[in-house]
Amino acid sequence: MKVEIKAGICPGTAQIFSALFLFCCIFMPIPAAAGPYTQSIHGNGAGVNRSTISGYAAGNCSHCHDQHASIDGEEPEPTSGSASPFALFSDNFNDAIEMAPYAMADNFCFYCHIAAGGVQSGGGITNYQFHVTFGGYTTNAVTDILGAFNLDSYHNLYDIQNFAQDKFSFFTPVSNPCVACHNPHLLKNHKDHPADPTYTTISRPTDHGELWGDEADERMSNYTSYRPPYYYNSTTTYEPGGVALHDGSLTTDYNAFCLDCHQFEVPVTTVGLASMNPNTSAGHLTAIDWSAGGDMHGQRARLFDVGGAGSGCTGTIIAPYNAAPVKSNYVLSCLDCHDPHASVLHSGANRPSTYLLRKEINNNKVDGCGPSVDNFCESDLCFSCHTNSHAGAQGCFNCHYHGGVNINCAGPWVGPNF
Ligand code: HEC
Ligand code: HEC
Ligand code: HEC
Ligand code: HEC
Ligand code: HEC
Ligand code: HEC
Ligand code: HEC
């Protein structure tokens, strides 16, 4: 049975769904040959298919929701022992876990988005990191979502849940932190169509009922001077997915998406995860200002030439940004530098975190610079797009961080540093 989720039939807001309520809600026979759910990757023949139940076609709601907390009188595997919120087959999220490592049972999504040992029939689901799927990097540190969230720096699921619950009305106290960014009833298979954003997987937390990126005005081409980074191992093709076109029209506007949360100072409970920014409130991360009055990598116009003419602290900005036509004010995407879930870089002693930073940026593998700094040298991250000559190898983030201003290089300096 294929059904469409329709407003008016199912209340969508802050309620914990009893199994019976969800039963009425889901199994009302609504014909929906081409509804958004059946077009989602979960809702079609290649979609959800829990190996512990039988009698339901792939894509059926029952692969995620147990209709009466039981099917045919018995609760199928996995069993949570009691009715789970939203009548899901397991508890949505274990909020006793305030930080990684996470185990499969800590999050409903991990039961399938795990390399092996999950409940999806046919085995685990392979998902690479963003800089691999969209950036073309060829070495995988992890191949599933559970593994990503267990890396050195990761989007802390407990903190996301708390923050989203405070800020967004659709998000309930028992909602899944993944659902702050993804709508499981709508999301598509972007990984197999990386250059086609109509296959987007994300929904803005401020607009959870819609996909984000699928429409032309939801792309990086909204900014007049976005230029996507090179695809790995190429200086002729670009992200996403290795295409020649590089006007931003194939890249989701991730800035608007991330800023739904990061325009605010977000709280962190992870021990030791202090901000590099001394002006940020204790226990929080810096509110990111990507406007014309904010960061240089956002909409604020840069001060110097890409060729490096200017004060003693300047360097050049390298290809593709120095290629004609050189724009006077590039706006970067958050995901040119960050991975959305996690980072494979190791923080070492130099900094409190690796801030979800990508291992590969603009056709550059971000490397270490000496035995004490393991696999991550700060200057090598910057050298993905810049050259410079005013500092050594490390300590760059002491002066260059989001919101950083008025920090000298070698002489007087008034203005932004990042
Ligand atoms: C019952 C198993 C199951 C559960 C539970 C599940 N998924 Fe999936 N998911 C799938 C399958 C199957 C695919 C398609 C896999 C493929 O394309 O290789 C998929 C695909 C996706 C995709 C698109 C990328 C891709 O791999 O194609 C995203 C994003 C996604 N799921 C997110 C989630 C989130 C978030 C949750 C929890 C709210 C979740 N999934 C729970 C089975 C599941
Ligand atoms: C639903 C709200 C939400 C959205 C959307 C969101 N974040 Fe976050 N982010 C948080 C919260 C809460 C934290 C603090 C908890 C933590 O450490 O992960 C955080 C932490 C971070 C950190 C610091 C992580 C660390 O361990 O040092 C970075 C970097 C970051 N986010 C980048 C992004 C990027 C890039 C995007 C867009 C792809 C994004 N965020 C989207 C809520 C959000
Ligand atoms: C990939 C797993 C998955 C599939 C398949 C799925 N759901 Fe859900 N559903 C969820 C999750 C997870 C939630 C909890 C959302 C949250 O955490 O806030 C949910 C919540 C709901 C809700 C509560 C309101 C909301 O949207 O948050 C309704 C109603 C619902 N699902 C109906 C359905 C129906 C009807 C189908 C089939 C047409 C279906 N679901 C298929 C995972 C799934
Ligand atoms: C802060 C927002 C955020 C959170 C939280 C988040 N994701 Fe994602 N996720 C993203 C973004 C952004 C992408 C890139 C997708 C795109 O452009 O379509 C992505 C991609 C994915 C993909 C596709 C990966 C591929 O193969 O390309 C899967 C699967 C996925 N997320 C599952 C999850 C699961 C499961 C959770 C919770 C454990 C989760 N996500 C939490 C933002 C988030
Ligand atoms: C993905 C490419 C990329 C990475 C990585 C990157 N930058 Fe940039 N940066 C740029 C671009 C492009 C501009 C020009 C922005 C503009 O035109 O407004 C810029 C501008 C700047 C400026 C302002 C220059 C001026 O003329 O005022 C500073 C300072 C800067 N970057 C420092 C850094 C540091 C330090 C790092 C490493 C922590 C870094 N950048 C990493 C692409 C990048
Ligand atoms: C003591 C503070 C300080 C430290 C440490 C520092 N910088 Fe800078 N840096 C500055 C100042 C001030 C500027 C001029 C600001 C601007 O260009 O907007 C600057 C400018 C730059 C630029 C100029 C970009 C352009 O296009 O002109 C780059 C690139 C850069 N720094 C990289 C680095 C790297 C890499 C490191 C670490 C090896 C580093 N900086 C360490 C203060 C510092
Ligand atoms: C040019 C590369 C680059 C881009 C583009 C970029 N970031 Fe960052 N981000 C960094 C670096 C480097 C750090 C670590 C230094 C610091 O704390 O600012 C960082 C740190 C962060 C942090 C942690 C801040 C803290 O107080 O600890 C958050 C949150 C974040 N970024 C979010 C974003 C969002 C949201 C966007 C897009 C609007 C974005 N970043 C774009 C390079 C980048």
Side-chain angles (χ1 to χ4, degrees), residues 152-157 159-161 163-164 168 177 180-181 205 254 257-262 266-270 273 285 334-335 338-340 352-357:
D152 226 40
S153 81
Y154 57 97
H155 252 133
N156 180 299
L157 297 171
D159 289 342
I160 297 245
Q161 190 190 45
F163 181 77
F168 308 114
C181 296
Y254 294 112
F257 169 78
C258 305
L259 290 171
D260 272 357
C261 294
H262 284 291
V266 296
V268 268
T269 51
T270 308
L273 181 54
L285 299 179
C334 312
L335 296 186
H338 294 283
D339 250 294
S353 173
T354 50
Y355 309 101
L356 319 181
L357 289 165

Side-chain angles (χ1 to χ4, degrees), residues 296 302-306 308 311 313-317 378-380 382-383 386-388 390-400 407-410 413 415-418:
M296 292 297 200
R302 68 175 181 273
L303 299 168
F304 305 121
D305 189 73
V306 289
S311 86
C313 295
T314 62
T316 62
I317 306 180
E378 290 173 14
S379 53
D380 202 29
C382 310
F383 295 166
H386 290 276
T387 65
N388 93 303
H390 67 273
Q394 289 286 51
C396 316
F397 297 178
N398 295 335
C399 297
H400 296 288
I407 309 157
N408 291 345
C409 165
W413 179 256
N417 289 67
F418 201 61

Side-chain angles (χ1 to χ4, degrees), residues 306-374:
V306 289
S311 86
C313 295
T314 62
T316 62
I317 306 180
I318 60 176
Y321 306 99
N322 63 4
V326 175
K327 308 276 185 96
S328 59
N329 178 17
Y330 291 107
V331 176
L332 276 72
S333 155
C334 312
L335 296 186
D336 293 346
C337 295
H338 294 283
D339 250 294
H341 294 152
S343 179
V344 306
L345 300 171
H346 302 161
S347 51
N350 290 289
R351 54 193 98 70
S353 173
T354 50
Y355 309 101
L356 319 181
L357 289 165
R358 291 170 52 146
K359 178 68 184 168
E360 176 275 339
I361 297 176
N362 193 31
N363 190 24
N364 177 49
K365 174 185 169 195
V366 178
D367 252 327
C369 47
S372 64
V373 292
D374 207 340

Side-chain angles (χ1 to χ4, degrees), residues 273-288:
L273 181 54
S275 175
M276 298 299 293
N277 189 329
N279 300 319
T280 297
S281 313
H284 289 72
L285 299 179
T286 306
I288 310 293

Side-chain angles (χ1 to χ4, degrees), residues 197-347:
T198 64
Y199 284 92
T200 181
T201 68
I202 53 175
S203 297
R204 283 176 71 166
T206 52
D207 193 12
H208 179 69
E210 306 273 346
L211 289 170
W212 178 249
D214 56 332
E215 286 169 31
D217 63 354
E218 301 171 353
R219 313 267 169 80
M220 287 306 296
S221 41
N222 285 347
Y223 306 91
T224 44
S225 46
Y226 176 67
R227 185 167 291 178
Y230 284 138
Y231 197 67
Y232 189 58
N233 265 335
S234 172
T235 51
T236 52
T237 63
Y238 300 80
E239 297 189 15
V243 288
L245 187 64
H246 53 281
D247 62 0
S249 64
L250 303 180
T251 306
T252 299
D253 178 356
Y254 294 112
N255 296 345
F257 169 78
C258 305
L259 290 171
D260 272 357
C261 294
H262 284 291
Q263 66 180 292
F264 306 105
E265 287 193 341
V266 296
V268 268
T269 51
T270 308
V271 177
L273 181 54
S275 175
M276 298 299 293
N277 189 329
N279 300 319
T280 297
S281 313
H284 289 72
L285 299 179
T286 306
I288 310 293
D289 185 352
W290 225 232
S291 74
D295 283 0
M296 292 297 200
H297 294 107
Q299 294 187 69
R300 186 194 285 263
R302 68 175 181 273
L303 299 168
F304 305 121
D305 189 73
V306 289
S311 86
C313 295
T314 62
T316 62
I317 306 180
I318 60 176
Y321 306 99
N322 63 4
V326 175
K327 308 276 185 96
S328 59
N329 178 17
Y330 291 107
V331 176
L332 276 72
S333 155
C334 312
L335 296 186
D336 293 346
C337 295
H338 294 283
D339 250 294
H341 294 152
S343 179
V344 306
L345 300 171
H346 302 161
S347 51

Side-chain angles (χ1 to χ4, degrees), residues 48-289:
V48 288
N49 198 356
R50 184 160 38 126
S51 57
T52 55
I53 62 173
S54 56
Y56 296 92
N60 190 283
C61 317
S62 301
H63 294 294
C64 286
H65 295 283
D66 284 348
Q67 307 161 44
H68 319 268
S70 72
I71 290 179
D72 298 335
E74 278 177 34
E75 187 181 354
E77 293 290 317
T79 53
S80 55
S82 58
S84 300
F86 306 101
L88 293 167
F89 65 61
S90 76
D91 282 347
N92 214 358
F93 176 62
N94 176 6
D95 60 12
I97 301 292
E98 295 188 8
M99 61 187 85
Y102 301 104
M104 181 172 78
D106 290 331
N107 188 311
F108 165 78
C109 311
F110 292 154
Y111 277 98
C112 295
H113 287 278
I114 187 168
V119 304
Q120 173 72 16
S121 67
I125 298 174
T126 300
N127 289 113
Y128 301 133
Q129 288 209 281
F130 186 89
H131 65 282
V132 174
T133 305
F134 297 93
Y137 190 56
T138 45
T139 308
N140 285 307
V142 287
T143 56
D144 65 4
I145 300 290
L146 173 60
F149 278 88
N150 282 333
L151 289 171
D152 226 40
S153 81
Y154 57 97
H155 252 133
N156 180 299
L157 297 171
Y158 175 84
D159 289 342
I160 297 245
Q161 190 190 45
N162 282 335
F163 181 77
Q165 181 182 323
D166 286 349
K167 273 285 186 289
F168 308 114
S169 57
F170 81 90
F171 199 92
T172 79
V174 292
S175 280
N176 192 313
C178 314
V179 166
C181 296
H182 298 286
N183 184 325
H185 307 120
L186 300 178
L187 58 87
K188 298 199 169 169
N189 179 359
H190 208 174
K191 71 176 181 189
D192 292 326
H193 311 91
D196 185 348
T198 64
Y199 284 92
T200 181
T201 68
I202 53 175
S203 297
R204 283 176 71 166
T206 52
D207 193 12
H208 179 69
E210 306 273 346
L211 289 170
W212 178 249
D214 56 332
E215 286 169 31
D217 63 354
E218 301 171 353
R219 313 267 169 80
M220 287 306 296
S221 41
N222 285 347
Y223 306 91
T224 44
S225 46
Y226 176 67
R227 185 167 291 178
Y230 284 138
Y231 197 67
Y232 189 58
N233 265 335
S234 172
T235 51
T236 52
T237 63
Y238 300 80
E239 297 189 15
V243 288
L245 187 64
H246 53 281
D247 62 0
S249 64
L250 303 180
T251 306
T252 299
D253 178 356
Y254 294 112
N255 296 345
F257 169 78
C258 305
L259 290 171
D260 272 357
C261 294
H262 284 291
Q263 66 180 292
F264 306 105
E265 287 193 341
V266 296
V268 268
T269 51
T270 308
V271 177
L273 181 54
S275 175
M276 298 299 293
N277 189 329
N279 300 319
T280 297
S281 313
H284 289 72
L285 299 179
T286 306
I288 310 293
D289 185 352

